[in-house]
Amino acid sequence: MAKRGYHHGNLRQALVDAALELIAETGPQGFTMAEAAKRADVSAAAPYRHFTGRDDLIVEIARQGFDLFADVLEYAYKDGQPSPLVAFEAVGRAYLAFARAHPGHYAAMFESGVAVNASKDLAAANARANNVLLRAAADLSARMPPDRRPPAAMFAAHVTALSHGIVALYARGTPGARAPFTAEQLLESGVGVYLRGLGFLDSDT
């Protein structure tokens, strides 16, 4: 394992990187500041020059995670192109891809118990990611009959909950170990059922 620490010139980020490894191995509550310091190859006291404790370190990891998440979602959404439905489906796939590619960030963001308003920067990063989901939901639901159209925030929350459940149950570990379908197939079919229930898709679509 490559050594980290002062010679990197950025102890704060070295500690974040060390904690990300530990979170991926043991979960967001399964490590101590001393272990993060050891993994970063610094003294046990060094982390406290940048963070008040483990929760403060996790807040920074979550902030970085939501910034990455927002970038991934915005890239997938492409301003609703080539159509609201295609863009919405792309955002869903991007959600799953992010969870796989950044397990440490994802755990800090959604499984650590840290409140999204724990810091202004974290709240802003979370809002930027949520705004992509809201835009995707609003653009798609705008094509539904008004009497069948849920509020965009509710629409986004439903699909986020579905995506998060699929990540928790089926998108980790060995693909196919818990279901004979990929996480993407489960999300696509789940969103399809949801949209048919709203009358957006025909039953034969």
Side-chain angles (χ1 to χ4, degrees):
M1 181 179 298
K3 293 288 186 180
R4 300 188 187 85
Y6 297 110
H7 61 283
H8 280 237
N10 190 344
L11 175 57
R12 183 180 177 87
Q13 188 59 43
L15 290 164
V16 167
D17 294 341
L20 280 168
E21 291 180 357
L22 290 166
I23 290 172
E25 294 168 9
T26 63
Q29 304 302 332
F31 74 97
T32 66
M33 288 292 277
E35 288 171 327
K38 182 177 180 181
R39 184 69 63 96
D41 192 33
V42 296
S43 71
Y48 296 96
R49 299 175 187 174
H50 298 278
F51 302 101
T52 60
R54 186 182 62 183
D55 286 350
D56 193 29
L57 175 55
I58 291 175
V59 165
E60 173 60 14
I61 293 170
R63 182 202 65 78
Q64 292 186 14
F66 274 113
D67 274 337
L68 285 169
F69 191 42
D71 290 342
V72 168
L73 295 182
E74 287 173 347
Y75 181 81
Y77 186 53
K78 291 182 170 62
D79 291 325
Q81 299 301 319
S83 74
L85 179 57
V86 171
F88 189 84
E89 291 172 339
V91 168
R93 290 191 296 272
Y95 190 110
L96 300 183
F98 175 85
R100 285 197 185 100
H102 303 280
H105 285 108
Y106 188 89
M109 293 156 60
F110 298 114
E111 299 168 3
S112 67
V114 167
V116 294
N117 61 353
S119 78
K120 290 182 179 179
D121 289 342
L122 173 57
N126 174 68
R128 188 164 73 90
N130 281 340
N131 283 340
V132 182
L133 296 169
L134 283 170
R135 290 202 328 264
D139 288 351
L140 186 57
S141 62
R143 300 195 171 198
M144 299 176 187
D147 61 334
R148 296 181 180 178
R149 185 187 306 164
M154 182 182 290
F155 192 164
H158 286 163
V159 176
T160 297
L162 175 61
S163 302
H164 187 74
I166 289 171
V167 168
L169 293 173
Y170 302 109
R172 292 169 172 165
T174 304
R178 301 190 64 178
F181 312 102
T182 66
E184 287 75 15
Q185 288 171 331
L186 290 169
L187 181 61
E188 181 180 355
S189 61
V191 170
V193 169
Y194 181 76
L195 293 177
R196 287 186 182 92
L198 293 174
F200 184 80
L201 296 178
D202 295 331
S203 59
D204 295 331
T205 302

